[in-house]
Amino acid sequence: NVDRKDGKLALAYIYVAFIAVFLGGTAGLLQVLVRSGAYELPSFLNYYQVLTVHGVLLGLVLTTFFILGFQTAAVSRTSGTFTDKQRTIGWIGFWVATIGLVAAAAMILTNEASVLYTFYAPLQAHVVFYLGLAFVIVGSWITGAAQIMRFVQWKKENKGQSSPLLSFMVVVNNFLWYVCTLGVAIEVLVQLVPWSLGLVERVDVLLSRTLFWYFGHALVYFWLLPAYMVWYVVIPKIIGGKIFSESLAKLAFMLFLILSVPVGIHHQFMEPGIDALWKFIQACLTFFVVVPSLMTAFSMFATFELRGRELGGKGVFGWFKKLPWNDSRFLLPFIGMVAFIPGGAGGIINASYQMNELVHNTIWVTGHFHLTIATAVALTYFGTAFWLIPHLNGRKLTKRANSMANCVGILWAIGMTIMSSSMHIAGLLGAPRRSAYSEYGGSEQAAEWISYQVAQAIGGSILFIAILVITGLIIYLAFFAPKGEQDFPVAEVAPGAAKVPASLENFKLWGVIMIAVIIFAYTIPIIDIINTSPVGSKGFKLW
Ligand code: HAS
């Protein structure tokens, strides 16, 4: 079990994450209603402010805070209780991140930072917004360090043994986070803060975007990997099965470590100023980073089929019926997995340069990330929180709460199918993302989008109902659920599995490969950007 003191730290993070779900979800409802044309925002709010609240709270706050909470619990469960020093470091990280969050939120609410969750130049925010985000990142580094310290202690105490899978995964995710956040930290400290303070007149927009996307794509895998932790380690236990292959899981995570960062330019295919060769190279690397997800799909199918057959499932699909469909701990992540199949396929379309020309900056992309982050990942987080919170605070996920949680999964599946499909279709018809309702001067093409925008509002409203149920459930599980024991499921490895090769545990080796691939993929594009920068002597230049 997770020690109660460690549990408090994990819970603090998770509660902040769910406050973000409620507020960010409300902003999402306003979003779809405005885009449908049926509703106008009150005069004290503007469209981009609401879009920023939505993106920052759900894309940055829910994720980062849930991940830090979940990972703290996961390390404590599988490597052992934190020492007092480690836990204190964890709490320092929590407070640094939370102070940063409050500062950044205050700026968004006062319309001083309506710069969207991607916040790169040329949109400019109040300096306090940037500093607030910097604090959130530094806070996450500090808590992440506490998790790594606990893992290192385990390694010292258990020399020569292969490390606990869940803790190993947490450490990989933290390393990924340290390396990718360096890009955004440089962007914020070297470009955005001096510019926002008026110390420099201009900043290079292309450099700002490139530094952001160096961080921004690895960010999506920082979100995804905790969901994969649940899929690989927790789900097999819930269905009564075993981990299909520990080596496969560890290899998949190491592949994410080396391939998640050097693909950021696939967000910039349509941008001038980056040579086609580097776009091509990063497109190829993007296709490589699909591989660990395909490995994950293979492993999950194998786990499900093996268990289903063990329970007597016959024929090609008989095993499928044997899975525990009434158990929300399984059902919600499972719906997430199903959504990730079209979500991942959409990602592959985005990454195919020529097709990116069709979909870039259309609402297709919004459809893509509502399947990936907002369904595959978010539903896994929700399904996990519903058992993790009672595990940490000594309560129980009751039968009724479990049924409510299943309702969340079903509402989410229905709402997201309607919303995301209409986003994908409208995107192919040319509807732009990040824009409020407009008839574009009576344009015939824009008229085609309106029915899909209404469908998005219907889907979005169903999702909002799900968010109300989630909020109610979290409050119930935090304060009112009956006291009891709720298990933190961790599966064992299948018997007869081969020993994990030592090279897969060698962080130095994979770290060196990671840095080498990043240097290869980014050095020349960045030198090119700086050398051809239009920002003259009056503005800021790196060298
Ligand atoms: Fe993406 C844009 C490419 C994955 C999130 N992506 C975005 C943005 C976000 C985002 C937020 O190349 C917008 C950023 C912005 O604001 O501008 N993405 C990819 C690729 C993948 C991918 C190649 N994205 C993700 C994940 C995200 C995420 C994961 C969040 C968590 N994405 C792009 C590109 C763009 C982009 C371009 C830029 C577009 C533009 O022009 O602006 C891959 O990693 C996907 C691989 C996934 C798979 C699926 C494996 C399936 C599994 C489930 C198995 C199911 C089971 C259940 C076992 C290959 C593991 C079976 C049961 C049954 C009954 C069937």
Side-chain angles (χ1 to χ4, degrees):
N1 281 5
V2 176
D3 178 86
R4 285 304 277 273
K5 286 191 197 148
D6 296 348
K8 280 197 175 140
L9 172 59
L11 278 173
Y13 270 115
I14 293 172
Y15 289 154
V16 175
F18 278 93
I19 296 172
V21 171
F22 176 68
L23 299 175
T26 309
L29 178 69
L30 295 179
Q31 209 68 50
V32 283
L33 293 179
V34 169
R35 281 187 74 109
S36 74
Y39 171 78
E40 264 184 46
L41 285 173
S43 56
F44 59 88
L45 285 176
N46 82 56
Y47 178 79
Y48 289 99
Q49 186 182 10
V50 177
L51 185 53
T52 307
V53 172
H54 180 64
V56 169
L57 286 184
L58 295 180
L60 302 179
V61 178
L62 153 67
T63 48
T64 311
F65 279 72
F66 180 83
I67 292 168
L68 290 168
F70 170 71
Q71 290 191 164
T72 299
V75 170
S76 175
R77 168 76 170 77
T78 53
S79 284
T81 304
F82 284 60
T83 61
D84 287 346
K85 185 175 148 204
Q86 289 159 355
R87 198 176 307 111
T88 309
I89 294 174
W91 275 109
I92 294 173
F94 172 78
W95 285 112
V96 171
T98 305
I99 291 168
L101 168 62
V102 171
M107 292 300 107
I108 301 174
L109 293 177
T110 50
N111 202 14
E112 292 284 343
S114 298
V115 290
L116 311 183
Y117 88 104
T118 40
F119 65 83
Y120 40 59
L123 295 179
Q124 193 187 53
H126 195 285
V127 69
V128 171
F129 173 75
Y130 298 125
L131 293 176
L133 289 185
F135 266 60
V136 173
I137 290 177
V138 172
S140 70
W141 287 346
I142 298 173
T143 301
Q147 295 163 5
I148 295 176
M149 284 162 72
R150 185 63 193 84
F151 177 76
V152 171
Q153 186 189 335
W154 186 97
K155 289 283 264 186
K156 278 194 189 138
E157 289 164 359
N158 298 273
K159 283 220 162 74
Q161 288 189 37
S162 79
S163 50
L165 182 55
L166 201 50
S167 292
F168 170 93
M169 292 167 152
V170 168
V171 173
V172 172
N173 205 27
N174 281 333
F175 280 139
L176 174 61
W177 184 240
Y178 286 131
V179 174
C180 78
T181 42
L182 281 180
V184 76
I186 295 173
E187 183 202 2
V188 165
L189 296 179
V190 177
Q191 291 194 294
L192 301 179
V193 166
W195 180 50
S196 170
L197 286 173
L199 300 176
V200 294
E201 203 183 317
R202 301 199 294 161
V203 287
D204 189 308
V205 170
L206 182 56
L207 182 61
S208 154
R209 291 169 60 93
T210 307
L211 288 171
F212 182 85
W213 286 121
Y214 165 98
F215 153 78
H217 197 78
L219 170 71
V220 314
Y221 295 121
F222 175 69
W223 298 336
L224 180 69
L225 293 191
Y228 276 10
M229 294 176 202
V230 174
W231 296 3
Y232 274 112
V233 180
V234 174
I235 296 291
K237 178 77 179 178
I238 292 171
I239 66 171
K242 300 263 189 290
I243 296 171
F244 176 65
S245 161
E246 187 180 349
S247 304
L248 182 149
K250 286 188 171 168
L251 177 62
F253 269 63
M254 283 309 195
L255 289 176
F256 275 116
L257 184 68
I258 59 175
L259 292 166
S260 292
V261 180
V263 295
I265 287 179
H266 73 219
H267 290 264
Q268 298 178 283
F269 283 156
M270 295 304 115
E271 257 167 77
I274 298 175
D275 194 86
L277 173 71
W278 294 100
K279 289 181 178 170
F280 171 73
I281 288 173
Q282 293 217 12
C284 294
L285 287 166
T286 305
F287 283 95
F288 281 119
V289 79
V290 170
V291 173
S293 284
L294 294 176
M295 289 163 64
T296 306
F298 171 78
S299 180
M300 294 320 298
F301 272 112
T303 308
F304 294 154
E305 186 180 347
L306 286 173
R307 178 61 184 154
R309 291 200 186 283
E310 214 173 77
L311 292 174
K314 295 267 176 319
V316 182
F317 295 113
W319 53 269
F320 191 71
K321 293 191 206 130
K322 301 280 175 189
L323 298 171
W325 298 109
N326 279 331
D327 190 338
S328 65
R329 301 172 306 160
F330 166 74
L331 183 68
L332 271 65
F334 184 85
I335 297 173
M337 290 176 206
V338 175
F340 200 40
I341 297 175
I348 294 171
I349 291 173
N350 298 343
S352 310
Y353 185 91
Q354 292 82 344
M355 287 199 261
N356 188 270
E357 290 181 312
L358 181 69
V359 298
H360 182 65
N361 268 347
T362 71
I363 200 160
W364 161 284
V365 175
T366 320
H368 161 67
F369 67 71
H370 278 84
L371 286 180
T372 49
I373 173 67
T375 306
V377 171
L379 268 188
T380 304
Y381 289 1
F382 298 158
T384 303
F386 296 150
W387 57 258
L388 183 58
I389 293 175
H391 173 85
L392 297 174
N393 66 8
R395 293 179 191 271
K396 266 205 88 61
L397 173 64
T398 55
K399 263 197 171 164
R400 264 182 71 188
N402 178 61
S403 306
M404 293 306 283
N406 283 337
C407 286
V408 167
I410 290 160
L411 283 172
W412 206 270
I414 297 171
M416 198 55 92
T417 305
I418 299 174
M419 190 175 90
S420 172
S421 314
S422 42
M423 284 174 166
H424 278 93
I425 301 170
L428 292 180
L429 296 171
R433 63 185 285 203
R434 297 170 156 162
S435 66
Y437 180 80
S438 167
E439 287 171 14
Y440 296 89
S443 137
E444 264 181 44
Q445 193 183 356
E448 288 181 19
W449 306 333
I450 293 173
S451 52
Y452 295 102
Q453 281 160 202
V454 172
Q456 284 159 38
I458 295 170
S461 305
I462 298 174
L463 289 169
F464 185 69
I465 297 172
I467 285 193
L468 293 179
V469 181
I470 292 169
T471 309
L473 257 176
I474 296 288
I475 294 174
Y476 172 74
L477 294 168
F479 305 109
F480 303 107
K483 296 269 177 203
E485 281 243 335
Q486 180 72 43
D487 185 34
F488 184 142
V490 173
E492 286 162 24
V493 180
K499 200 175 169 294
V500 178
S503 57
L504 280 180
E505 304 262 349
N506 188 339
F507 280 90
K508 278 190 197 133
L509 172 73
W510 291 91
V512 169
I513 301 175
M514 175 197 203
I515 304 295
V517 186
I518 293 174
I519 290 176
F520 163 68
Y522 266 109
T523 309
I524 296 180
I526 288 193
I527 290 178
D528 281 350
I529 291 170
I530 292 171
N531 286 348
T532 55
S533 173
V535 176
S537 54
K538 275 196 206 148
F540 175 77
K541 240 184 160 190
L542 257 184
W543 68 72

